[in-house]
Amino acid sequence: MEDKFDCIIVGGGIAGLSAAMTLARADARFLLIERGEFCGAKNVSGGVLWGSDLARLVPDYWEDGEGFERFVAHRRLTFMDPQSAFSVDFKSDHFQETPYTGVTVLRAVFDAWLAGKVQEAIDASAHPEESFIATDILVEEVLMEDGRATGIRAGDEVFHADCVIIAEGVNNLLTRQVGLEKPYVAGDHVAVGVKEVMQLDAKRLEDRFQLRGRSGLTNEFVGACSEGVEGGGFLYTNRDSISIGLVLGMNELRDSGKTPYDILNTFKAHPAVADMIRDAETVEYSAHVVSTGDIKGMPSEIYADGVMIAGEAAHLLLNAGKAIQGMDYAMRSGILAAETVVEAKKANDFSKAMLSNYRKALESSYVLQDMRSFQDAVHLLHRKEMFSTVPDLVCDFGRQFFTIDSQPTQKASAMMRAAVKRHASYWDLVKLGLKAARSL
Ligand SMILES: Cc1cc2nc3c(=O)[nH]c(=O)nc-3n(C[C@H](O)[C@H](O)[C@H](O)COP(=O)(O)OP(=O)(O)OC[C@H]3O[C@@H](n4cnc5c(N)ncnc54)[C@H](O)[C@@H]3O)c2cc1C
């Protein structure tokens, strides 16, 4: 074994494992270090892994069928007031086609499965004895010499590499240590995510949500689910459980004086949600910080001499109202960072100039293109009207439209005017509608 790895990856989450898989396939020598007992032990997601990058990493993963819970076949967005729920619902046979548009995952299962696939790739590589996945080890420091990253320190142990990929997730302490992130991340660039996994017999779950085989439902919520705090809710079906949770703006939550746990209980007690989780038993509760997807929250740069930052450590995430995309962004950025290592190794050049190719690749991928294109939508979602006025108005209209009470019935346009009058100024709403139309 050489005394130096081509690359050390810090973090065995999705970004780190995706980088590792790419390096193993390219016959590079690497060390991946994860602080959890196993990969996935410490990780939280809603979680839907969107897009087709998983198929790029593990071709035909659906045939193995082990890592994921269900594929997304049915999507729903629900506006809530305290009593009502008005949903936009979409189901289509095209969702049955592989590669799926998304799969639900439980991270303790998924990350461990992906780590197993990485180990298989290591075993099949040209240097099966010279690449490692090491768990239960906390990296405390990235070693720097003359402004260049040269390795890592974990306790008394020191390991050297030509390059370090920091894939440590949103609590990016090492990214701060190497000087690419400010010492304190602004509160409006992060949110609090809370989630419960609720067990329900697979047959009952499939009957309740009209699922066939491994098909699944994703349901996002906005309005009363967050009790006036900026944010929204989600409910996703797994094989024999339901993931339910909230993502709440950090500053708003602090100012509200409410606890995420109490807000989650109110969400679960909403009549539309209570019917979906009836008789399901909470088997897991977790909480995690999550980036808001504001591009201003990204570190000052995502590469320097001998080091690159991948995944949510670089605040790569998009939440523009359609879905939270953090895992697919982590996957693509991990792949691109590793591909940059492979090119750098060929050129024997791990300088900042060489590693800038990582930034360029990310800029031309959907990750930074979408983050840039949908920044207005990200900011729009933070406006109070989006999680209070709009859902209240939509539910008010729905109540009138769907109620038949043996009285003369108004036209839908009159119902809408009445609802608008009760909740907002007409012109404010027109302005908001135009902004929404432009930003999405
Ligand atoms: C409630 C909630 C719901 C979400 N829902 C979705 C969703 O539905 N879809 C979606 O795409 N995204 C979702 N996200 C976001 C998504 O989970 C993240 O964007 C994604 O996990 C980022 O992956 P990552 O590999 O960058 O970081 P992580 O998954 O956080 O992995 C980082 C890894 O690094 C390890 N680590 C950290 N520091 C060290 C160290 N010093 N030494 C060794 N190891 C270390 C950690 O233990 C961890 O395993 C959600 C997040 C939350 C909190």
Side-chain angles (χ1 to χ4, degrees):
M1 190 181 122
E2 290 189 5
D3 59 352
K4 191 159 96 165
F5 293 96
D6 297 324
C7 182
I8 293 173
I9 303 165
V10 182
I14 290 187
L17 289 167
S18 305
M21 179 70 96
T22 310
L23 290 177
R25 294 236 174 89
D27 292 327
R29 298 172 176 86
F30 68 90
L31 169 64
L32 178 147
I33 306 183
E34 163 58 41
R35 68 181 169 158
E37 232 177 290
F38 57 91
C39 291
K42 292 191 171 284
N43 298 342
V44 181
S45 276
V48 186
L49 172 54
W50 297 104
S52 54
D53 276 349
L54 177 57
R56 178 171 163 174
L57 214 56
V58 185
D60 303 336
Y61 69 86
W62 48 88
E63 282 175 7
D64 160 324
E66 288 303 312
F68 71 101
E69 296 296 309
R70 291 179 177 275
F71 68 88
V72 176
H74 186 177
R75 298 201 60 187
R76 191 186 289 153
L77 172 64
T78 301
F79 297 90
M80 297 180 132
D81 71 9
Q83 288 113 31
S84 327
F86 190 120
S87 296
V88 181
D89 191 285
F90 186 76
K91 201 171 184 176
S92 165
D93 258 3
H94 91 278
F95 282 150
Q96 307 280 335
E97 290 158 19
T98 52
Y100 302 121
T101 192
V103 288
T104 57
V105 296
L106 292 168
R107 293 293 298 275
V109 177
F110 179 79
D111 292 18
W113 168 83
L114 191 55
K117 295 286 174 195
V118 173
Q119 189 57 55
E120 284 173 22
I122 293 174
D123 294 343
S125 74
H127 315 287
E129 309 293 324
E130 294 172 60
S131 289
F132 306 91
I133 299 176
T135 55
D136 223 356
I137 298 171
L138 175 75
V139 174
E140 288 163 64
E141 185 186 353
V142 175
L143 303 173
M144 303 292 287
E145 279 171 33
D146 302 327
R148 165 186 292 272
T150 57
I152 60 95
R153 181 180 63 76
D156 296 334
E157 302 243 50
V158 162
F159 297 95
H160 291 281
D162 286 324
C163 181
V164 177
I165 296 177
I166 301 180
E168 60 183 338
V170 65
N171 294 322
N172 56 3
L173 302 179
L174 297 173
T175 309
R176 296 173 210 196
Q177 183 239 306
V178 299
L180 292 176
E181 176 72 284
K182 331 169 252 319
Y184 296 101
V185 174
D188 49 359
H189 292 156
V190 279
V192 179
V194 285
K195 173 185 160 184
E196 283 186 24
V197 177
M198 303 186 76
Q199 198 121 43
L200 187 65
D201 170 71
K203 172 84 175 63
R204 288 186 77 183
L205 185 124
E206 284 161 11
D207 289 347
R208 184 171 296 176
F209 293 98
Q210 301 174 337
L211 306 176
R212 265 181 290 140
R214 290 288 284 276
S215 74
L217 163 87
T218 65
N219 198 162
E220 279 84 21
F221 300 82
V222 62
C225 56
S226 63
E227 285 192 21
V229 176
E230 174 192 310
F234 58 85
L235 182 150
Y236 303 137
T237 55
N238 304 317
R239 271 190 257 194
D240 61 357
S241 65
I242 294 166
S243 293
I244 182 164
L246 295 164
V247 173
L248 303 164
M250 187 80 88
N251 286 344
E252 278 262 339
L253 182 64
R254 181 202 55 205
D255 295 346
S256 75
K258 295 174 182 166
T259 67
Y261 186 74
D262 286 337
I263 303 178
L264 183 57
N265 278 339
T266 308
F267 174 42
K268 285 168 62 185
H270 188 284
V273 177
D275 284 343
M276 290 198 260
I277 59 172
R278 191 169 11 95
D279 300 331
E281 188 198 345
T282 301
V283 289
E284 196 181 301
Y285 181 84
S286 51
H288 207 281
V289 172
V290 55
S291 173
T292 58
D294 188 330
I295 209 157
K296 291 194 217 95
M298 279 182 71
S300 58
E301 197 35 279
I302 55 172
Y303 64 93
D305 279 319
V307 62
M308 286 175 278
I309 318 294
E312 222 185 322
H315 283 259
L316 299 174
L317 184 137
L318 183 66
N319 182 5
K322 250 197 315 195
I324 301 181
Q325 287 179 258
M327 289 189 279
D328 53 335
Y329 281 26
M331 196 166 264
R332 178 60 71 95
S333 60
I335 293 170
L336 295 177
E339 286 175 353
T340 308
V341 173
V342 174
E343 290 308 310
K345 185 173 154 57
K346 276 187 206 150
N348 194 24
D349 176 6
F350 291 87
S351 67
K352 187 174 172 179
M354 183 71 188
L355 301 188
S356 69
N357 287 331
Y358 166 51
R359 172 102 203 188
K360 287 182 201 133
L362 212 53
E363 288 286 356
S364 40
S365 75
Y366 68 90
V367 173
L368 282 179
Q369 285 197 30
D370 286 356
M371 276 186 79
R372 290 193 196 291
S373 299
F374 291 99
Q375 276 304 295
D376 287 347
V378 170
H379 291 130
L380 193 72
L381 276 190
H382 292 238
R383 287 180 55 160
K384 197 164 179 59
E385 300 97 302
M386 296 308 287
F387 47 91
S388 57
T389 314
V390 172
D392 285 349
L393 193 155
V394 170
C395 288
D396 184 335
F397 171 77
R399 223 172 5 254
Q400 297 175 73
F401 187 81
F402 291 109
T403 302
I404 293 171
D405 60 359
S406 306
Q407 300 286 332
T409 305
Q410 283 189 316
K411 288 273 167 49
S413 56
M415 290 178 182
M416 183 50 92
R417 275 199 303 278
V420 169
K421 210 167 166 186
R422 277 193 283 274
H423 297 279
S425 116
Y426 183 74
W427 286 113
D428 284 349
L429 216 64
V430 169
K431 281 190 275 178
L432 195 68
L434 285 174
K435 270 208 172 103
R438 274 199 296 266
S439 65
L440 288 169

